[in-house]
Amino acid sequence: MDSLPATGQADSPAATQADDTPRDHATSAPDHPARLPGFHRLAVTERLQLLRSRGLLTQADHRALTSGAQRLEPAQADKMIENVIGVMGLPVGLGLNFLINGKDYVVPLVVEEPSIVAALSAAAKLVRGSGGFTTASTRPLLIGQVQLTGLAHSGKARTALLQRRDEIINLANSLHPNMVARGGGVADVEVLIHAAPDGGPDMVVLHLLVDTCDAMGANLVNTMCEGVAPLAEAITGGKTCLRILSNLTDRALVRASAVIPTHALAGKGHDGGQVRDGIILANDLARVDPYRAATHNKGIMNGVDAVALATGNDWRALEAAVHAYAARGRGYRALTRWSRNAQGDLVGSIELPLKVGTVGGSLQANPMVAINHRLLGSPGARELAEVMAAVGLAQNFSALRALVTDGIQQGHMTLHARSVALAAGATPEMFDQVVERLLADGEIKLWKAQLIVAELGGQAAPGQAARGNRRTGTQEWAAGHGKVILLGEHAVVYGRHAIAAPLPLAIRAHVEDARDGTTLLIPRWGVEQRLQQPARPGSFLQSLTLLLERLGLARRALRIQVVPEMPRAMGLGGSAALAVAVIRALDRHCALGLDDASVCALAFECEKIAHGTPSGIDNTVATHGQALLYRRGEPATIRPLALKQPLPLVIGLSGSESLTARMVARVRQAWLQHPARYERIFDEIDVLTRYALDALEAHDLGELGELMNICQGQLNALQVSSREIEELVQLAREHGAAGAKLTGGGGGGAVIALCPDGGARVARAMRDAGYQALEVSFG
């Protein structure tokens, strides 16, 4: 075969793995476009906002996706095929973390099967940590076939055609001069002789080997075959029959490879060496057994086809080529090979034929396809084929790893429950509750989901959680409250006052005994993880390990199920609420007899893991669930607040994670360099906070709003605001808010807007700008 030169450009170095376990705030912002930690836990609008902020979506693309204008309309579809009556839709997801030939990729995927997108992103993150994928490809040639019959002597016909090779090539290329001008066209010809299956005369087949550049090329190759057919007849004296391209594109081969250190394979109670050897053994079976190979290769095409559909390519042609290629030689076999190198690392490679296109009318007919190409960075056809090969290898790795560890069903459980809930007719209001009940019951069946839907049909959707506990179905759930800080962020870390209030949103948790190890399950965030040692620094799994050790439960097998009723990583105290909910659930199930002070102290230890130097205000509000004036110390000063009337707020979500740990560290570094300057700012925030206490107790919302506005200026001076935060603040003030400011650590996250006349206008303005908004009140 031809050599396989790499076509990717080395634009960025490999990134280290980031922690995707649940926590309120990420410890650092990823530097690479393909690294979007926690992306799967965001709402759709938040994902689009994040992609826009990273420059992966243009403003026009963001507007189209937000409004739904990217959808294929029936009138457009009617121009594409015959007898159109409607348009079907399939989910479009993003494969994240891909590093291919040193270049970052966000890979659009069109697929309806659960877990494929998550599995690909996880595999790409693992491979990224060891240098990413390496790919290479041959010149992408498409074969056109001209069948000649009725020949007196097939050997002489073959010789005659080859002798006039240049004449045939020149004629074919004259039919598409623009393709030749772009560096493509017929590169060579070959002639094959086939014996007729019924013993009749031989057939001679002339092959045109055509470089179609970035086009898929089916129509132009067919035109070339039609054009040279009369010349072939004149040269051989035979008659032409078929004149058409071949979908066996074995002259457009692509190869991808990856090396994964053995230690990176360890996890979920499995030794890395065992996982490596299991993957190799599973692949060995697919190399000799066609029954296993068919399923093995189908898994590869789960990824390849999803990219093909997203980019408007002919997935049927790709399937035909790949399976024909797998069947070459003595039998049908696996397209991948997994082995170990001299260092004991797992080495994977794939080789398959992929002839794709990135230009042409059929690709531009669907508006979503154009957006997907831009998300990929508008690659050429050869680069796109190499991305597909890397995706195929990643998908194969994920499937094999699942099969040799927990089994393929373990990873599918949560996503399968979501599909079943949807099929059972769960409304958006009850959807998450149906999923959680299915998982809790352990019986993920359509009939079961239909019973749950019928049961919930007359009930209200999940709303406010009562202080401490809440009953759902037959289970009693423990709760931890989210919070907003009205004034005092960051200054509270340095001994000043802050005013905080609980949100009518909470995180709930339930614990029950399990058979095999402790498992953390958070369906709404797509988390289903076994407790493993050691947990990554800063993750909630590290906090959970600490809790189990402190409570004497480290050796007990437990199933910890969590239901968040609030957005995560938005500066709303999610990490503290999660810790309090889990602590209370453990206390209830294991009869530990913890009081509020003990719960709060344990949650504070978890906050130290999540944020480094927390003030203690988040875990205090999460535990006690009431508004308070707070000042850290030994002991902390805590003054409960009784409000005369409810306080009407709108919470605007920026779509970017609130990086509390990073913001606290940044402010601390600035304070160490200029202590007097920053102490003065903290003092000014403290004065504002004490004025705000008076306004709050007098229910003077005009004064309180003005103080919030001034405080936002001070927080901006601390450099903890962001472009999205400032835009949300401005939108709120322009549409009737008395005051608006960020809440929490900053760097992203959320804005609170005080709306004495009601928050509908403010919330609508935020949503119209592409943000999420929640109307809440407390008091």
Side-chain angles (χ1 to χ4, degrees), residues 162 218 260 287 302 309 335 359 393 487 516 529 564 627 706 718:
L162 292 175
I260 305 173
R287 292 176 62 201
N302 279 344
L309 283 165
L335 293 160
V359 298
L393 184 62
L487 284 94
D516 182 22
Q529 293 180 313
E706 184 174 344
L718 291 177

Side-chain angles (χ1 to χ4, degrees), residues 23-26 37-38 41-43 46-47 49-50 483-485 489 503 505 525 566-575 611 618 651-660 724-725 728 742-752 771-772 774:
R23 53 186 170 176
D24 188 35
H25 308 303
R41 293 189 289 267
L42 301 177
E46 293 173 318
R47 293 171 190 161
Q49 180 66 25
L50 179 56
K483 66 91 182 69
V484 292
I485 296 181
E489 291 91 345
L503 287 172
L505 303 167
W525 292 348
M566 56 185 291
R568 66 171 300 279
M570 287 290 123
L572 301 177
S575 65
H611 304 314
D618 284 17
I651 300 175
L653 304 179
S654 71
S656 300
E657 289 191 349
S658 178
L659 308 174
T660 298
E724 293 85 2
I725 291 294
L728 282 165
L742 67 84
T743 183
V751 160
I752 51 171
Y771 298 99
Q772 281 191 308
L774 308 170

Side-chain angles (χ1 to χ4, degrees), residues 697-776:
E697 292 181 330
H699 200 68
D700 186 345
L701 300 190
E703 173 70 4
L704 180 60
E706 184 174 344
L707 292 167
M708 289 171 62
N709 289 334
I710 298 171
C711 188
Q712 173 62 23
Q714 299 289 1
L715 292 169
N716 209 337
L718 291 177
Q719 303 177 65
V720 295
S721 191
S722 69
R723 180 186 64 80
E724 293 85 2
I725 291 294
E726 294 299 323
E727 183 177 359
L728 282 165
V729 166
Q730 189 63 28
L731 284 168
R733 293 172 183 171
E734 288 176 353
H735 290 83
K741 59 178 283 293
L742 67 84
T743 183
V751 160
I752 51 171
L754 181 62
C755 304
D757 299 325
R761 281 185 61 208
V762 171
R764 184 166 55 250
M766 290 178 176
R767 293 181 188 124
D768 289 345
Y771 298 99
Q772 281 191 308
L774 308 170
E775 294 183 64
V776 300

Side-chain angles (χ1 to χ4, degrees), residues 178-453:
N178 291 335
M179 180 63 65
V180 177
R182 292 196 294 270
V186 178
D188 205 351
V189 300
E190 61 185 17
V191 183
L192 284 68
I193 299 175
H194 297 292
D198 59 0
D202 291 342
M203 292 176 286
V204 172
V205 181
L206 170 67
H207 281 186
L208 304 179
L209 308 183
V210 187
D211 184 345
T212 61
C213 298
D214 286 333
M216 285 186 282
N219 291 331
L220 70 89
V221 169
N222 289 342
T223 301
M224 286 179 168
C225 290
E226 294 280 355
V228 302
L231 177 58
E233 288 181 339
I235 292 172
T236 63
K239 294 293 184 182
T240 56
C241 184
L242 296 180
R243 292 152 289 180
I244 193 170
L245 85 157
S246 168
N247 285 126
L248 176 52
T249 54
D250 58 0
R251 312 306 167 86
L253 293 178
V254 187
R255 181 180 295 153
S257 62
V259 178
I260 305 173
T262 300
H263 67 81
L265 298 169
K268 298 185 178 180
H270 298 279
D271 174 78
Q274 294 174 331
V275 176
R276 176 201 62 204
D277 295 342
I279 289 172
I280 293 170
L281 282 172
N283 189 82
D284 285 347
L285 178 61
R287 292 176 62 201
V288 297
D289 181 0
Y291 293 96
R292 173 62 204 143
T295 308
H296 182 99
N297 291 341
K298 184 267 181 185
I300 293 170
M301 298 310 290
N302 279 344
V304 174
D305 286 346
V307 183
L309 283 165
T311 56
N313 277 280
D314 188 348
W315 61 271
R316 299 164 300 271
L318 296 181
E319 286 273 353
V322 163
H323 293 299
Y325 190 71
R328 71 196 187 284
R330 295 184 178 180
Y332 186 89
R333 64 186 64 187
L335 293 160
T336 58
R337 181 182 181 121
W338 293 94
S339 60
R340 58 184 294 179
N341 61 16
Q343 291 73 41
D345 300 327
L346 179 66
V347 180
S349 64
I350 188 172
E351 182 181 272
L352 66 170
L354 292 174
K355 183 67 183 76
V356 298
T358 57
V359 298
S362 61
L363 273 67
Q364 273 73 50
N366 190 327
M368 190 66 219
V369 168
I371 293 176
N372 289 337
H373 277 271
R374 288 192 288 272
L375 276 169
L376 264 172
S378 301
R382 197 165 167 182
E383 183 182 354
L384 175 59
E386 294 184 8
V387 170
M388 286 183 174
V391 167
L393 184 62
Q395 185 65 34
N396 180 241
F397 166 77
S398 293
L400 293 180
R401 188 187 192 192
L403 285 169
V404 302
T405 52
D406 293 332
I408 203 74
Q409 291 304 326
Q410 179 76 15
H412 277 253
M413 187 168 65
T414 299
L415 290 167
H416 179 52
R418 295 175 67 85
S419 296
V420 170
L422 189 65
T427 64
E429 293 77 17
M430 67 173 68
F431 182 82
D432 288 325
Q433 198 170 353
V434 174
V435 171
E436 289 146 12
R437 291 272 296 276
L438 286 171
L439 290 167
D441 292 342
E443 194 163 19
I444 306 175
K445 305 290 185 182
L446 181 59
W447 66 267
K448 184 70 174 180
Q450 290 169 335
L451 286 177
I452 296 171
V453 169

Side-chain angles (χ1 to χ4, degrees), residues 412-546:
H412 277 253
M413 187 168 65
T414 299
L415 290 167
H416 179 52
R418 295 175 67 85
S419 296
V420 170
L422 189 65
T427 64
E429 293 77 17
M430 67 173 68
F431 182 82
D432 288 325
Q433 198 170 353
V434 174
V435 171
E436 289 146 12
R437 291 272 296 276
L438 286 171
L439 290 167
D441 292 342
E443 194 163 19
I444 306 175
K445 305 290 185 182
L446 181 59
W447 66 267
K448 184 70 174 180
Q450 290 169 335
L451 286 177
I452 296 171
V453 169
E455 178 186 335
L456 297 175
Q459 299 180 7
Q464 298 183 6
R467 180 181 178 273
N469 300 293
R470 173 176 174 168
R471 185 173 294 278
T472 299
T474 60
Q475 299 175 340
E476 192 162 321
W477 295 68
H481 292 270
K483 66 91 182 69
V484 292
I485 296 181
L486 292 178
L487 284 94
E489 291 91 345
H490 290 284
V492 71
V493 177
Y494 297 85
R496 274 60 167 196
H497 294 87
I499 300 173
L503 287 172
L505 303 167
I507 291 181
R508 298 180 289 119
H510 174 77
V511 174
E512 59 190 18
D513 288 323
R515 292 182 180 179
D516 182 22
T518 295
T519 301
L520 176 66
L521 187 67
I522 313 179
R524 294 187 189 182
W525 292 348
V527 173
E528 184 181 342
Q529 293 180 313
R530 286 187 180 176
L531 194 64
Q532 53 185 325
Q533 296 287 349
R536 290 195 181 99
S539 70
F540 184 71
L541 288 183
Q542 185 184 13
S543 297
L544 183 57
T545 299
L546 172 70

